[in-house]
Amino acid sequence: MVETRFIVYPEGDTREIGHPLRVNEMVDLNGNPLAPPLPTARMIVYRVWKITTAAERHEQSVSYHLEQVTRPELDGLSARGG
């Protein structure tokens, strides 16, 4: 079975990615995982809040739905606190 993975931005746009993600995992604009401490709070960070799967014949599609992390939370996750 072929598995295709997508990130789904809050606005509804999608982008294919080549790796699995987990719920509550933080990612950058391209869907690459991030680990605290973040280098700065001045960046756009998303969190995976839901994962959905759709299967058809020989293909499975996994969608990782994202929500944007708020600035106050980013301040707490950055190495310099803002």
Side-chain angles (χ1 to χ4, degrees), residues 1 5 7 9 11 16 19 21 23 26-27 29 31 33 35 43 46 49 61 65 82:
M1 182 176 283
R5 299 176 184 98
I7 51 176
Y9 295 97
E11 306 82 24
E16 187 173 346
H19 52 278
L21 297 171
V23 170
M26 290 186 293
V27 298
L29 280 170
M43 56 191 300
Y46 295 99
W49 71 275
S61 175
H65 300 265

Side-chain angles (χ1 to χ4, degrees), residues 8-22:
V8 182
Y9 295 97
E11 306 82 24
D13 296 334
T14 61
R15 180 178 191 155
E16 187 173 346
I17 59 172
H19 52 278
L21 297 171
R22 298 180 318 273

Side-chain angles (χ1 to χ4, degrees), residues 8 22-27 45-50 64-70 73 77:
V8 182
R22 298 180 318 273
V23 170
N24 287 328
E25 189 165 15
M26 290 186 293
V27 298
V45 177
Y46 295 99
R47 177 184 295 110
V48 177
W49 71 275
K50 177 173 79 169
Y64 302 96
H65 300 265
L66 306 178
E67 65 181 356
Q68 190 167 354
V69 177
T70 64
E73 190 173 353
L77 294 170

